[in-house]
Amino acid sequence: MKDKLFVIIILMIGIMGFAAIIGVISQGNVRHVQIFWPEKIEQTVAFIDIDDEVKLIGISGTSEDNNPTLIMRISFAYVLTVENRGNQHHRLYIDGFNIQTDLLEPGQKDTIVIYPDKEGTFNYYDKRQYLSKLGQLKAVQVTPSDSFTGFLKDMI
């Protein structure tokens, strides 16, 4: 009788343990890859000097145009790395957030992090002795498109 009771208890513990493992796995807690979008956007830009004119060029995560329009997403961390590939000192200043990099000597770089909470268009400048407007930074709200939300409604 004791052996039969022991086997039933071990079997119940095994079934409950198996159910717990299935529960943890089915909640998405065990993945070999990340399934969620990263909650930050990273871009790299660089100052260059061409014929005594300052330009900002895209290096990574943005277009490689001169003075590109940088785009960030609301409610996500925006990580901007700024390099100085010119031959003068430069400092990137973003109006509206009142944030700026350190004064960068040629060859230096600095990283700033912005947490936008509203939509808008903000100018960015090279701030040395005076402000020299270079381009714009846009904060946008990303929402599902109507076709996607319509698809979800049909599924429900």
Side-chain angles (χ1 to χ4, degrees):
M1 182 73 177
K2 286 186 175 184
D3 291 337
K4 191 176 189 181
L5 184 59
F6 180 72
V7 169
I8 290 174
I9 291 172
I10 294 297
L11 225 101
M12 293 302 290
I13 291 172
I15 290 171
M16 289 188 324
F18 183 69
I21 289 171
I22 295 298
V24 168
I25 291 172
S26 68
Q27 294 298 314
N29 297 322
V30 179
R31 302 271 185 210
H32 66 284
V33 295
Q34 183 177 353
I35 62 170
F36 300 106
W37 291 104
E39 295 189 10
K40 66 180 178 179
I41 298 170
E42 298 181 40
Q43 295 181 333
T44 303
V45 294
F47 284 108
I48 58 171
D49 298 317
I50 301 174
D51 300 326
D52 292 331
E53 190 174 339
V54 178
K55 300 278 185 190
L56 196 72
I57 58 169
I59 302 297
S60 171
T62 185
S63 67
E64 295 182 9
D65 298 334
N66 289 335
N67 303 331
T69 299
L70 303 174
I71 299 176
M72 62 183 170
R73 188 173 169 184
I74 293 176
S75 301
F76 280 68
Y78 179 69
V79 180
L80 182 63
T81 301
V82 182
E83 300 176 2
N84 185 357
R85 294 186 179 178
N87 51 18
Q88 301 177 29
H89 289 72
H90 295 287
R91 173 180 285 148
L92 184 74
Y93 171 74
I94 301 172
D95 194 23
F97 292 103
N98 295 324
I99 194 166
Q100 65 187 9
T101 62
D102 293 335
L103 185 62
L104 302 174
E105 295 178 13
Q108 285 186 322
K109 66 180 175 179
D110 190 17
T111 300
I112 55 177
V113 180
I114 304 170
Y115 297 95
D117 59 354
K118 62 182 178 196
E119 285 188 301
T121 302
F122 309 93
N123 295 325
Y124 63 82
Y125 302 88
D126 180 20
K127 182 180 178 184
R128 291 180 292 168
Q129 290 116 2
Y130 57 90
L131 288 177
S132 173
K133 182 180 173 190
L134 297 175
Q136 295 182 325
L137 176 70
K138 291 186 179 184
V140 296
Q141 176 70 42
V142 178
T143 58
S145 68
D146 291 337
S147 62
F148 182 71
T149 53
F151 172 75
L152 288 178
K153 287 178 185 175
D154 291 341
M155 295 294 291
I156 296 175

